[in-house]
Amino acid sequence: MPKVSIIVPVYNVEKYLSECLDSIINQTLQDIEILCINDGSTDNSPKILEDYASKDKRIKIINKENSGYGASMNMGIAAATGEYIGIIESDDFAEPKMFEDLYNLATLHNADIAKSNWYDYLTKYDQKKKFEQFHKEETISVINVKKQTYILNTFPAIWSAIYKREFLLNDDLKFLETPGASYQDCSFGFKTLALAERIILTTNAYVCYRQDNVNSSIKSKGKVYAICKEYEEIDRFLEKYPEIKKYVNTEKLKRQYFSFLWNATRIDKKFVPEFLEKFHCVFKNFYEKGEITEDFFKTIDRFEVELLIKSPVLFDKELKKRKRREIRRKICSIRLKPSQISVVIFGKQLINIVK
């Protein structure tokens, strides 16, 4: 049994694939298997995979017809034989000690998940900047959502972690198999963090997360509502686990709110009014059901939420006034901590983080 199975979903990434694979085969932890799931690529990616597999017996290629990221990931999880499972996106790459460090950390603490920070990477400038989502005080001991619900309000970044394979299989944790590759880490990331009894964090960063892959933008209408489907899956999950829902639902709503707002800044402008109508309907329903509590408003300004519930048109006007790019930048700049976090989009201040 290899120590770590690394899943690499591949679809038309010939430009970046070699850099990704080089970073994996040169890991200081050599006892790994590398599962490359080719999702019906039509470029030179299959040839690149074959060339690498011919030189490294740890690489296994699984070819399938194009059916999307979620289906690729589920196929990879099913095929994995390692003690832990890691994920590296095929347009990203990893620092050499990533899997050795995370594996040692996970086994030391018998963790279901070992999770790290990462680097935002710009191809054009060959420049990386550490994204510090986790801080030193959070890495002292093992955590779980029963005591540290804030962990659910972090960016999913599922590729910045390793997962005990037994944990994933026992709880039947899978990806939502929708077409495309938009937001499909969202529900998987939430479910794994919600169910894990033992999570260990590190301030170290390993993955270089590519920010300027032009293929990552959301231009097609089919992808506009991908985030909605992910949260519908999360809601189904919480109905299945009511004992979890009672202590994580507010954090879920905060995360959902930010995710929807983030989506509104990313999608093509022509889809924004229609998406905001969906945003309005979803949160109006939560509001009328009494799920939006006072604790929710400790993070998100009441005026902002009530404006969305009252009128998505007025909400859109405020978005335009505040400039979507600025809102997006501010949301991205949040360094979530277990202490107080206040985010106001339409109020007097955009960000107030108590460190």
Side-chain angles (χ1 to χ4, degrees), residues 27-94:
Q27 286 288 306
T28 55
L29 180 66
Q30 289 289 292
D31 187 9
I32 59 176
E33 69 173 352
I34 306 164
L35 301 171
C36 299
I37 318 299
N38 174 36
D39 189 27
S41 296
T42 56
D43 64 356
N44 201 41
S45 295
K47 176 63 167 57
I48 295 171
L49 291 177
E50 290 169 5
D51 288 345
Y52 274 82
S54 68
K55 300 171 185 175
D56 194 323
K57 64 181 181 180
R58 297 173 301 171
I59 296 176
K60 301 174 183 177
I61 304 170
I62 300 175
N63 293 302
K64 69 181 184 69
E65 293 183 3
N66 181 251
S67 55
Y69 179 89
S72 294
M73 293 305 304
N74 288 339
M75 190 171 288
I77 292 171
T81 63
E83 185 181 352
Y84 281 84
I85 291 176
I87 301 161
I88 296 293
E89 307 284 3
S90 49
D91 57 349
D92 298 334
F93 57 96

Side-chain angles (χ1 to χ4, degrees), residues 95-114:
E95 295 291 309
K97 290 197 69 180
M98 175 176 180
F99 291 104
E100 180 179 7
D101 285 358
L102 289 181
Y103 177 79
N104 289 340
L105 186 66
T107 53
L108 176 65
H109 295 277
N110 188 27
D112 298 314
I113 301 173

Side-chain angles (χ1 to χ4, degrees), residues 150-326:
Y150 74 88
I151 190 67
L152 290 177
N153 227 341
T154 57
F155 287 94
I158 58 171
W159 29 260
S160 66
I162 60 172
Y163 309 83
K164 186 179 287 186
R165 183 169 65 93
E166 183 182 21
F167 160 64
L168 296 182
L169 297 180
N170 286 348
D171 286 302
D172 195 29
L173 290 164
K174 296 179 179 178
F175 286 76
L176 190 61
E177 295 190 8
T178 50
S182 296
Y183 291 110
Q184 290 182 310
D185 58 351
C186 181
S187 61
F188 179 84
F190 185 96
K191 291 184 289 187
T192 52
L193 291 174
L195 286 179
E197 290 293 330
R198 299 180 63 82
I199 303 167
I200 189 69
L201 306 175
T202 174
T203 59
N204 292 342
Y206 301 102
V207 173
C208 290
Y209 174 50
R210 200 177 301 272
Q211 299 286 294
D212 47 0
N213 179 358
V214 294
N215 295 322
S216 297
S217 59
I218 301 178
K219 298 295 184 182
S220 67
K221 187 174 181 178
K223 293 185 177 183
V224 167
Y225 295 103
I227 189 63
C228 302
K229 294 183 184 298
E230 289 293 307
Y231 274 96
E232 288 167 5
E233 171 65 11
I234 290 172
D235 286 334
R236 285 192 292 269
F237 166 78
L238 291 178
E239 290 304 314
K240 182 180 177 181
Y241 294 97
E243 72 281 6
I244 293 177
K245 181 176 181 178
K246 68 184 179 183
Y247 58 81
V248 305
N249 195 52
T250 295
E251 293 303 320
K252 189 276 295 189
L253 288 169
K254 293 176 186 177
R255 176 169 168 169
Q256 184 170 3
Y257 188 89
F258 286 131
S259 296
F260 278 32
L261 188 61
W262 169 262
N263 195 55
T265 70
R266 295 184 70 205
I267 59 179
D268 195 284
K269 290 181 180 180
K270 65 183 178 182
F271 299 130
V272 169
E274 187 177 333
F275 176 76
L276 289 180
E277 178 65 32
K278 175 70 173 179
F279 192 177
H280 156 78
C281 291
V282 169
F283 273 83
K284 182 180 180 181
N285 180 54
F286 289 139
Y287 190 78
E288 291 176 347
K289 288 166 62 178
E291 291 194 30
I292 298 180
T293 64
E294 287 300 314
D295 188 49
F296 178 84
F297 293 120
K298 291 178 183 178
T299 303
I300 302 168
D301 184 65
R302 186 186 298 270
F303 166 75
E304 177 186 330
V305 178
E306 291 180 348
L307 185 63
L308 171 67
I309 292 169
K310 179 181 179 180
S311 170
V313 175
L314 293 177
F315 188 84
D316 189 26
K317 288 181 179 179
E318 287 292 338
L319 275 181
K320 289 173 181 176
K321 284 181 183 179
R322 299 291 176 176
K323 299 181 181 179
R324 289 190 180 87
R325 285 186 181 179
E326 178 66 9

Side-chain angles (χ1 to χ4, degrees), residues 7-20:
I7 301 173
V8 185
V10 176
Y11 179 70
N12 290 352
V13 283
E14 61 180 5
K15 184 177 179 180
Y16 308 115
L17 186 54
S18 291
E19 185 175 26
C20 173

